[in-house]
Amino acid sequence: MADQLNGAAILIRSLEHEDVEVIFGVPGGAILQAYDELYSSPIRHVLARHEQGGGHMASGYAHATGRVGVTFATSGPGVTNLITPLADAYMDSIPIVAITAQVSSAKIGLDAFQETHTWGITMPVTKHNYLVTKIEEISSTVREAFHLASTGRPGPVLVDITKDALADEMEWHGPQEIDLPGYRPSVKGHPRQVKAAIEAIINSERPVLYAGGGVIRAGASNELRAFAKQQNLPVVTTLMARGAVPDSHPLTLGMPGMHGTYTASTAMQRSDLLIAIGARFDDRVTGDTEFFAPGAKIIHVDVDPAEISKIRKADIPIVGDAKAVLDQLLAQGAERLGGDAAPPRTEWLATLARWQRDFPLAYEQDPEGPIQQQYVIDQLSKRSGPDTIVVAGVGQHQMWTSQFWGFEKPNTWINSGGLGTMGYAVPAAIGAQAGMPERTVIAIDGDGCFQMTFQELITAAIEQIPVKIAVLNNANLGMVRQWQKLFYGERYSATEMSHTIPNIPMLAEAMGCAGLRAETPADVIPTIEKGLAINDRPVVMEFVCDPDAMVFPMIVAGGSNDEILMGPEDVK
Amino acid sequence: MSQHLITVTVENKPGVLARIASMFARRDFNIHSLAVGPTEDPTRSRVTMVVDGPEMEQIVKQLYKLVHVIKVTEHLPGEAVEREIMLVRVNADPSRRSEILNAANIFEATAVDVGAATITFEVVGEPSRLSDFLEFMRTYGIISLVKSGRIALAKDNKSASRSRKRTA
Ligand SMILES: Cc1ncc(C[n+]2csc(CCOP(=O)(O)OP(=O)(O)O)c2C)c(N)n1
């Protein structure tokens, strides 16, 4: 027996069929019908205070749970507010589905109230997008959107549905089969290439396993760790892959690139074989590609063939899902070794260990001086445990968190890597917490980033999503100020903010959160302990930090990765 | 600048051309000519493109990333039957008219419109014939010119065509 349903009901039923448990969004005229149906659906709706917040919440949810995040927005300004989270999710390959409403099909093109060319303006920032003008297409399009978002190289998919399609009625027979003749992502790698890769690895004296965000997206961390162990391979984890192998593991060299560890960046420079898995040779990793890893052969494993040889020519390309290919590599590696141990690479590993000893990441906290951001991060990490989900904004605090948190597990680190979106942390943390209610979720934010999206804490307080936000308040757009200090003669153009305005704890209290402040190093631990103990509402812990602290190591943008600045004294 | 001829088989869906054009613009690839039309299968369209540049591998891969793109085939010189139509209006002073018409005859160009001091020719054929004709007509003066964009079909000789198999 088929039900007579309107388009909005078909939409909501289709989302229920996809096992959607929560939608983050903001309603409006064009999408009213869908919200009316949502009212009686078991799907939870979290009312964001801005569509950007709703989009980043969906992204944080997807990061933390590995499931597809869903966001709703109305036509016109609802959609334009969603552009940043779509672009962000596109750069970082995060599976989200955005459902937006469009003016009635008869009004399209007439500059109707709140009409915008959604399909056109979101095309370059989505994996795929749809304009649905007929009720018959709603169900199959939703199915396709979830399939596209979550398979192959994941990414954001937008479905724009006209008001009339949502209002029309038809008999609905349940979800439909999908037909995507042009979409057949590879899963397994070519066996010949896998064989060639194993030969190259066994013959390599100075290999480096270069793990990117694709390893996290594919859920391949266990396989990566096993493969590193099997073949005795040191591992670097990019900003998007932190946690793919435990930072405490002896083969882990940390993050490479602009603010990476000396050992991770230099290991790649000296390597004779880079095994890139789910990584894309981003300029923040490679520096000037002309000087990048000059002696290395490249094995490049990626589910997206277009990433292979886009930046650096691959000697052994392998198109496939990171997890499936790692399984193949493990099997082939075991067969090839036939019970023998992997090459010991004694000299190489000793060199790396020496660099790690000689050039560690370090900071000093003067008990009388201003609070150092790294100290706060270090203490937060020590006191909250390895299952904590950590979220960051963009800037110095993000780099320090990546450097000093000490990640032990995958999917515990959420940040905006490719787009570098300030304001990401608060909403993404809320999304992560909504998806993982039993876990502790801490956002480490800069005062600049915080002021871009803090209003979502109102959402968190009302929706009882008890995230914890640590604002490292250096009264500055710190990362920009760092560049001004180092390269622009200390001319601090438009980077100064304030240690006192806004009053962050008061602001937090006004939004229904607990507000705490640490002003001296002695306050840091008590503030953290207090903040971690509050679980009945969101907590904002403000740390009044040193405006002059800088992130090192540093490789100058566009410079060679052979020239690593270890501290301010290295800047010419 | 090296030019490459490719055929892109796509789902016949609204906006598919916009997707291709947008991707080319975003990736900084250059389209030299483009022709789109229906195929033997009403659910498919075929886009023939001449593209500039050394980026062929990336162009093909990025095309395959578009969900509505089903197949991309690159035709090396001589591997495909290639055709293009051109309409060209040239100066044709009555005193030189017969001379121009004679020349046009040799190129198998058809006069399709005659004005007081101009003749408009239609030329159909391989791209080289079109360019030869244009070169010749320059001496008389070309007033306006329009080309259809090249279309191509791989020759019916399987081993002759290096079809880039999909990897996506
Ligand atoms: C939306 C957006 N606007 C501007 C920038 C450029 N930007 C990068 S880091 C940064 C400063 C961030 O300041 P803050 O949040 O206080 O963090 P800090 O660097 O001080 O830790 C700016 C302005 C950006 N990344 N994103």
Side-chain angles (χ1 to χ4, degrees), chain A residues 394-398 400 419-422 445-450 452 472 474 476-480 497:
Chain A
V394 170
Q396 291 180 312
H397 62 282
Q398 173 193 28
W400 281 317
L419 197 66
T421 309
M422 282 177 71
D445 216 1
D447 47 321
C449 289
F450 182 72
M452 287 202 178
L472 306 185
N474 58 1
N476 273 280
L477 297 171
M479 185 56 95
V480 182
M497 297 200 294

Side-chain angles (χ1 to χ4, degrees), chain B residues 25-38:
Chain B
R26 166 163 142 54
R27 297 277 170 193
D28 200 19
F29 303 145
N30 195 20
I31 303 177
H32 182 79
S33 88
L34 178 141
V36 204

Side-chain angles (χ1 to χ4, degrees), chain A residues 119 129 184 186 304-306 308, chain B residues 19 58 61 65 166-168:
Chain A
W119 181 81
N129 63 2
R184 278 161 288 161
S186 300
D304 178 358
I308 295 175
Chain B
R19 290 184 197 277
Q58 263 295 307
K61 286 173 167 179
K65 273 180 81 164
R166 70 167 300 124
T167 42

Side-chain angles (χ1 to χ4, degrees), chain A residues 132-478:
Chain A
V132 178
T133 57
K134 295 191 189 74
I135 182 173
E136 298 81 16
E137 292 168 5
I138 291 175
S139 180
S140 59
T141 306
V142 169
R143 187 75 274 283
E144 283 186 16
F146 276 78
H147 180 67
L148 288 171
S150 58
T151 57
R153 180 178 183 172
V157 179
L158 179 138
V159 181
D160 195 32
I161 312 176
T162 57
K163 200 168 187 290
D164 51 325
L166 289 171
D168 285 348
E169 293 192 358
M170 66 177 260
E171 272 191 7
W172 192 54
H173 301 269
Q176 284 151 320
E177 290 296 302
I178 57 171
D179 176 32
L180 293 166
Y183 182 74
R184 278 161 288 161
S186 300
V187 177
K188 284 207 159 182
H190 196 295
R192 197 181 58 226
Q193 299 294 84
V194 170
K195 236 180 197 166
I198 290 294
E199 286 312 309
I201 289 167
I202 283 174
N203 291 317
S204 161
E205 285 170 15
R206 298 182 309 282
V208 174
L209 194 47
Y210 160 31
V215 171
I216 303 281
R217 294 273 74 74
S221 303
N222 286 336
E223 291 76 5
L224 182 80
R225 216 168 315 157
F227 188 60
K229 189 161 173 244
Q230 182 196 67
Q231 296 296 331
N232 198 21
L233 301 170
V235 189
V236 302
T237 47
T238 69
L239 183 64
M240 295 312 295
R242 308 286 294 126
V245 286
D247 276 336
S248 59
H249 194 284
L251 284 170
T252 304
L253 310 180
M255 175 174 76
M258 184 174 275
H259 291 297
T261 65
Y262 176 92
T263 309
S265 299
T266 309
M268 293 175 102
Q269 289 304 92
R270 303 285 170 275
S271 168
D272 63 359
L273 179 70
L274 291 182
I275 307 131
I277 305 193
R280 58 183 176 85
F281 294 82
D282 182 86
D283 54 82
R284 259 36 185 177
V285 169
T286 64
D288 187 338
T289 46
E290 196 187 326
F291 304 106
F292 174 68
K297 267 179 86 165
I298 309 289
I299 298 172
H300 196 168
V301 179
D302 207 293
V303 74
D304 178 358
E307 286 306 337
I308 295 175
S309 298
K310 181 181 82 178
I311 305 284
R312 172 74 175 254
K313 180 103 185 101
D315 299 283
I316 305 177
I318 305 180
V319 179
D321 171 74
K323 190 181 179 120
V325 174
L326 275 163
D327 272 333
Q328 289 174 286
L329 287 167
L330 276 164
Q332 179 64 30
E335 189 188 317
R336 174 63 170 75
L337 289 173
D340 292 347
R345 305 189 174 104
T346 319
E347 206 176 312
W348 178 229
L349 295 182
T351 304
L352 298 176
R354 194 181 70 239
W355 289 340
Q356 281 183 301
R357 209 173 46 239
D358 292 350
F359 305 102
L361 290 169
Y363 70 90
E364 270 167 45
Q365 176 63 63
D366 174 354
E368 304 303 320
I371 298 174
Q372 297 301 302
Q373 289 83 332
Q374 303 95 312
Y375 175 60
V376 177
I377 293 163
D378 197 9
Q379 289 302 324
L380 268 169
S381 173
K382 288 203 172 88
R383 274 149 223 286
S384 64
D387 284 314
T388 303
I389 295 173
V390 195
V391 189
V394 170
Q396 291 180 312
H397 62 282
Q398 173 193 28
M399 292 299 116
W400 281 317
T401 307
S402 174
Q403 291 178 339
F404 289 98
W405 186 267
F407 295 95
E408 293 298 308
K409 295 183 179 185
N411 299 88
T412 58
W413 166 236
I414 298 176
N415 84 134
S416 166
L419 197 66
T421 309
M422 282 177 71
Y424 181 75
V426 169
I430 294 169
Q433 184 81 79
M436 293 290 198
E438 347 55 56
R439 299 271 284 275
T440 302
V441 178
I442 303 180
I444 296 180
D445 216 1
D447 47 321
C449 289
F450 182 72
Q451 289 177 61
M452 287 202 178
T453 50
F454 66 70
Q455 80 271 27
E456 298 304 345
L457 284 170
I458 300 165
T459 307
I462 292 175
E463 293 277 346
Q464 298 187 311
I465 302 173
V467 289
K468 301 181 195 307
I469 315 289
V471 181
L472 306 185
N473 186 357
N474 58 1
N476 273 280
L477 297 171

Side-chain angles (χ1 to χ4, degrees), chain B residues 33 82-88 90 106-110 121-138 142 145-151:
Chain B
S33 88
E82 301 175 32
R83 288 294 180 272
E84 195 159 9
I85 295 189
M86 165 171 85
L87 294 172
V88 57
V90 298
I106 300 169
F107 288 95
E108 292 177 47
T110 314
F121 289 105
E122 169 201 289
V123 193
V124 184
E126 294 196 7
S128 59
R129 178 191 305 169
L130 273 57
S131 50
D132 289 349
F133 182 71
L134 267 187
E135 201 45 51
F136 190 80
M137 284 297 154
R138 268 188 219 292
I142 292 164
L145 165 71
V146 60
K147 285 183 170 188
S148 62
R150 203 179 305 181
I151 55 169

